[in-house]
Amino acid sequence: MATDICNSDVTLTKAEALEDWNAMVLAFLAHGTDTPVRLAAVLDREPDFAMGHAARGLFSIMMGRRELMDTARTALRAARHAAPISGRTFRERGWITALEAWLAGRPSGAISEMEKILAQNPADTLSMKVSHAIRFILGDGPGMLRSVEAVLPAHGEDHPCRGYALGCHAFALEEAGEYAKAEKQGLIGLEHAKDDAWGLHAVTHVFDMTGRSAGGIKLIEDYDSAWLHCNNFRYHVWWHKALLHLDLGEQDQVLDLYDQKIRHDKTDDYRDIANATSLLMRLELEGIAVGDRWGELADLAQKRTDDGCVVFADLHYMLALTGDKRPSDAQALLGRFASSAQAPGEMNQIAADPGVAAASGLTAFAEGHYGEAFRQLAAARPKMQTIGGSHAQRDVFERITIDAGLRAGQFDQTEAILTHRLVRRGGAEDAFAASRFAALDAARLDASRIPAQ
């Protein structure tokens, strides 16, 4: 039986198909545009390759689009049909079962299957990356760290995918607050895999979280070989660069990046919409006018309010709808949250808590009801990590919560949130924290000057 680049058995019989499969694995690990092209080539050459169909199904679900759930179901049927023909390996069986679990509303079950595979073969970087990706969608930072650290010993100097494993380790370390270790691992990983966008992105997170914005901008510019080749992940790297410029007060550069890079292509991928809406919201919180930029995002979000695939996506759709002042559409999305909260499935549990409270808080903030916004967002806050994404991505909701508290006069509670945010960032005070601590001091001083009634 053939063995792929991850030292895993594959039931491919043609050398050309194996070459395409290995190229697909490397492209997937590098967030490369070639991933679907290579996977399609594999299945064209060997249409009864069950693992390939399972991969197509899992990759489709990761896109967070309702219509692609049908694509995933079709892929599952094809994988089940092909399995007796190609002869299932332990890995193939696990991938098929993982796809079944996620389609049944249990992404945790998909993770469990990947971890079983890794227990048998920790050198399987592809399965590690899929486990890592699903955990990221679920906001499972500790699980990401446990998973990748369990397989690192099998990714020695001679493993062709070592750099990508180190990149995943760097990101998991960063999310755990181990900033120095994360930076070191990420840079070592880039020496092994110069096109590892995820690893470069992990180090960029470190610069953001430790208040080194100028250094983060230089890092992105110096390591452009790690991300220029990417699929839409390159928009996310541009987004990180924009955040760093925003922290430095360089508003013109932020808006230029938004128009020329982040939203140059008007895609409706939820990750691209998340980049855009969260950046516009950050700008508006700083009192920066964004013009009519909300409109095209709201048009796209309006078409996605029934998706209900990823709570992280839904909350960014809410940012678009409220940012463009579409109260009826925002209320429709709130209703969909309420419906999802009553349905079975792990993502619907997240929609119930913290999703409903978070969505309600965002709506109240947009309507100027800051006391209610703070109440709802503060209630959602303890479980916000479960919506997925990174600390940096979820920080937009933290900023809105803080500003709602300031505007509502909830000074002590707001200070506690600001302090917690500061601690999580390793004690590094960014421009947002500095301005809000100053605003707190000013608000308390003003309050003290009001004579008692």
Side-chain angles (χ1 to χ4, degrees), residues 433-450:
S435 66
R436 270 40 178 199
F437 277 122
L440 265 175
D441 290 341
R444 281 174 168 151
L445 182 60
D446 287 345
S448 71
R449 290 172 174 164
I450 298 174

Side-chain angles (χ1 to χ4, degrees), residues 55-129:
R56 181 169 180 251
L58 287 169
F59 295 169
S60 295
I61 299 177
M62 288 179 190
M63 298 296 289
R65 302 168 67 93
R66 176 65 61 186
E67 67 271 22
L68 290 182
M69 298 300 284
D70 288 337
T71 302
R73 293 185 187 95
T74 300
L76 177 58
R77 289 193 292 271
R80 286 170 171 167
H81 174 77
I85 299 170
S86 62
R88 284 187 291 182
T89 65
F90 181 80
R91 185 201 203 189
E92 281 180 331
R93 290 197 301 273
W95 274 59
I96 293 171
T97 304
L99 179 54
E100 292 170 341
W102 204 346
L103 283 170
R106 293 185 299 104
S108 65
I111 293 171
S112 177
E113 292 303 318
M114 293 299 149
E115 294 301 326
K116 291 175 186 176
I117 294 166
L118 293 170
Q120 185 181 84
N121 179 18
D124 183 1
T125 325
L126 177 60
S127 295
M128 181 278 294
K129 179 71 171 181

